[in-house]
Amino acid sequence: VSVTRIGYASLHVSDLASAIAHYTGIVGLRLVGTDDGRAYLQGADNQDHHCLVLNESGRSGLDHLGYKVNDPEDLETVARALRERSLRASRVPAGWLRGQGEALRFTAPSGHDIVLYFHADKIGYAGGMRDPDVVGAVLQGGATHLDHAVLVCERPAEMSAFMSEVLGFYVTEQGVDPAGNGVVIFLTCGHKMHDLAIAPGENGRFHHLAFGLESRHAVIAHTDRLKQRNVPTLELGLTRHGIAGVTTIYFHDPSGNRNEFYHGVYVAAGMGGRVPTVDWNLATSERALFYYEGAVPSAFLSTVT
Ligand SMILES: [Fe+2]
């Protein structure tokens, strides 16, 4: 099975209008369309119909993550692998979400729903598809793409093994306990540093959704904008992670879902499964998670939706 990348996240929001205002005006996504209490949005550097689906449902949290596969046959391959593990999956007809083909939906061992799909309608890059304007989106600012999601579950190592064995992900970096067991695990399905990270906590909970920006300068400028517009952020402002080395800031949408802006991540080198994992000993390396502060803000761990 070959999952190409994270395709989209489907989030619950308490109020659709304020969520749309946030994800267009603050995050800088394009609003692609709305229907039946849903909105579809996409970043500048992605051709597919959406990277974010907002569902007006009076609450916050993750409905599901969408991962795009390379081949339509992959859906049946995964369905078989799930049956072998006694996990239930259901087929989702094309058009259930606007702009999306037939899909396979299942609940992963972490308690989160995952939707695999092959087809997405094309809306094109923000700069166009013929003689594109490659700096227009940069000058406008805003997220270039949805980069990764971070989920919380009781047994991160078990979820990591599932994603690796069934969907072909591999671990680029991990925070480990003194015995060397993965506690916070970063996995990719392509050449990004991560498409998914898994942290310890209650099954089925959602930690954050990260949007990539074009430069470290863009992260600083967007931090200014978050502060200017009184968007609630993590008690730290702009900071850097040791893991992956990215410049980052966390903030919240009006429903309380955590977002991240970041830049600076490296490209994972080489073929999946052939690149050794970077380990961070969480007991001795205070800089693994927050490099400047050397400590993890308590709200970072305790606030999940
Ligand atoms: Fe992140």
Side-chain angles (χ1 to χ4, degrees):
V1 171
S2 46
V3 176
T4 59
R5 61 169 185 264
I6 184 168
Y8 67 93
S10 178
L11 288 186
H12 293 292
V13 296
S14 42
D15 174 66
L16 194 58
S18 62
I20 291 172
H22 171 86
Y23 285 101
T24 56
I26 299 293
V27 177
L29 299 178
R30 298 179 273 169
L31 179 64
V32 179
T34 55
D35 64 22
D36 279 348
R38 277 199 189 118
Y40 300 84
L41 301 101
Q42 181 56 278
D45 286 356
N46 198 311
Q47 300 184 20
D48 288 354
H49 185 266
H50 51 261
C51 73
L52 180 66
V53 181
L54 302 172
N55 305 277
E56 187 166 53
S57 43
R59 65 184 182 97
S60 58
L62 180 73
D63 185 73
H64 67 272
L65 289 180
Y67 283 97
K68 193 170 171 180
V69 296
N70 264 321
D71 189 311
E73 297 295 311
D74 287 336
L75 301 184
E76 184 49 41
T77 307
V78 174
R80 232 176 6 247
L82 294 172
R83 278 197 297 274
E84 283 165 13
R85 289 165 182 259
S86 303
L87 290 171
R88 288 228 314 261
S90 56
R91 294 281 181 167
V92 179
W96 166 65
L97 289 179
R98 198 194 277 191
Q100 195 165 307
E102 188 196 4
L104 184 74
R105 181 172 182 145
F106 59 92
T107 303
S110 63
H112 301 90
D113 276 16
I114 291 179
V115 168
L116 299 180
Y117 63 105
F118 170 71
H119 172 80
D121 288 358
K122 301 296 180 194
I123 59 165
Y125 297 124
M129 295 298 290
R130 291 173 67 92
D131 304 329
D133 172 7
V134 294
V135 299
V138 172
L139 293 175
Q140 216 168 37
T144 55
H145 66 286
L146 171 66
D147 193 83
H148 61 266
V150 177
L151 306 178
V152 160
C153 68
E154 285 163 23
R155 290 187 290 279
E158 181 187 308
M159 177 60 175
S160 171
F162 171 83
M163 295 303 288
S164 302
E165 291 160 17
V166 176
L167 298 177
F169 282 58
Y170 73 101
V171 179
T172 51
E173 301 200 22
Q174 59 181 347
V176 299
D177 64 19
N181 302 307
V183 177
V184 184
I185 307 173
F186 298 77
L187 302 107
T188 185
C189 50
H191 291 280
K192 286 158 57 192
M193 187 270 168
H194 61 313
D195 290 273
L196 175 70
I198 309 161
E202 191 184 333
N203 265 6
R205 295 295 188 166
F206 166 66
H207 193 274
H208 71 266
L209 202 57
F211 296 96
L213 296 178
E214 197 259 340
S215 66
R216 292 186 194 277
H217 281 145
V219 183
I220 298 170
H222 278 76
T223 300
D224 286 343
R225 180 188 284 176
L226 293 171
K227 297 296 183 184
Q228 181 202 31
R229 298 194 186 176
N230 296 315
V231 176
T233 62
L234 186 68
E235 59 258 44
L236 309 177
L238 181 75
T239 185
R240 182 190 281 272
H241 288 307
I243 295 173
V246 297
T247 303
T248 175
I249 184 163
Y250 292 94
F251 54 103
H252 293 275
D253 77 7
S255 303
N257 295 304
R258 187 188 279 114
N259 298 163
E260 177 185 16
F261 276 143
Y262 88 118
H263 180 82
V265 75
Y266 59 88
V267 173
M271 295 284 289
R274 298 188 192 174
V275 182
T277 300
V278 173
D279 284 351
W280 295 79
N281 185 339
L282 295 176
T284 55
S285 180
E286 289 103 7
R287 293 176 141 191
L289 291 174
F290 289 90
Y291 192 84
Y292 295 162
E293 294 79 9
V296 181
S298 60
F300 189 69
L301 301 176
S302 60
T303 306
V304 290
T305 53

